[in-house]
Amino acid sequence: MICCVRPRHPLSGLAALACVAGVVAGAAAPASAATLTTDARCYAQGAPLQLTANGMAPRAPLTVSLDGQALRFRDGSTPRADEAGTHASSFSTPALAAGVNQLRHALAVDDGTTRARTRFTVTRPAGADFAPKHGDPRTLRVRFTLWGFALASGRNAQVWLHWLDASGRVRKNAPLGLTQGDCGQLTSTRRRVFPFDAEPGRWTLVLDTSRRYRVQSDGARAKIPVHVRSLSL
């Protein structure tokens, strides 16, 4: 992955995967207490991330790295700390590979003597799935996986599972578990995908943070369509 840093003066040249806009602001921290912060912990892929480093050597050239790989200005110039040892910049978070729903990244700023580090997570919009996907609906036990449930709110919460039949009628509501991490993820224990006798037809499993199913939800929500076929004897 190659990213680039964008200085505040006009640039020329080819576009890159991500660009960092170099600015300076804030007060310095002691060199022994270098810190690196981001404006959030969870980001959608491609969203802008604002970082601030304090406690760097005044006016020192800096290396800003993502997952151990240095980010670069598009024009080849080097980011620097200001006279107070502070550096602020931004870049677009990297895209997720196909099949990856979220990924945690390591971010660092180094002045050659002092290094400040932090982590952040990139996620897809709130979603859910379960595995295995096939089996006898009367006995099939699966693990539910959720991601992105804290992307909008920044908070983890209890997730509930609602079973809706083809007519939209709610057959059951049940707690699934508490989301965790920067972006609100959850992998459940194994449980029956249908804790009742499910009639053949199309079902919708709705996962959200409401104890009772509501047509409209203010928080994160994911839906899993399931088709139940008649069993051959």
Side-chain angles (χ1 to χ4, degrees), residues 40-232:
R41 303 298 299 173
C42 177
Y43 299 87
Q45 55 182 338
L49 178 152
Q50 301 283 334
L51 67 91
T52 302
N54 288 293
M56 300 289 107
R59 297 180 296 280
L62 303 174
T63 299
V64 180
S65 59
L66 178 65
D67 298 329
Q69 191 167 23
L71 307 180
R72 297 177 293 122
F73 281 115
R74 263 195 280 185
D75 64 357
S77 59
T78 302
R80 288 182 175 271
D82 67 2
E83 290 154 351
T86 297
H87 173 74
S89 51
S90 67
F91 65 92
S92 297
T93 57
L96 294 164
V100 177
N101 295 315
Q102 69 175 41
L103 187 63
R104 201 162 192 230
H105 294 279
L107 185 65
V109 175
D110 192 323
D111 64 9
T113 301
T114 303
R115 172 172 287 191
R117 304 179 181 87
T118 193
R119 289 183 176 273
F120 66 92
T121 304
V122 175
T123 186
R124 297 187 188 278
D129 203 352
F130 64 78
K133 296 181 181 295
H134 304 284
D136 186 337
R138 298 171 299 185
T139 58
L140 180 63
R141 297 177 66 84
V142 303
R143 291 186 189 277
F144 286 90
T145 302
L146 294 76
W147 57 87
F149 267 59
L151 176 60
S153 68
R155 299 185 302 274
N156 285 304
Q158 173 70 46
V159 173
W160 292 78
L161 176 57
H162 315 286
W163 287 263
L164 278 66
D165 63 19
S167 68
R169 181 170 62 100
V170 180
R171 285 289 302 273
K172 188 176 178 64
N173 305 284
L176 189 65
L178 183 68
T179 61
Q180 299 178 345
D182 295 339
C183 293
Q185 71 174 62
L186 169 65
T187 299
S188 75
T189 57
R190 291 180 67 87
R191 58 187 298 155
R192 287 183 59 189
V193 67
F194 285 103
F196 52 83
D197 291 334
E199 299 84 0
R202 292 192 175 275
W203 290 78
T204 303
L205 308 189
V206 179
L207 302 98
D208 60 26
T209 56
S210 298
R211 184 184 184 95
R212 301 293 179 188
Y213 174 75
R214 300 170 183 169
V215 175
Q216 300 295 329
S217 175
D218 295 331
R221 169 174 281 182
K223 297 181 180 180
I224 307 175
V226 179
H227 185 70
V228 177
R229 295 183 175 87
S230 299
L231 295 176
S232 301

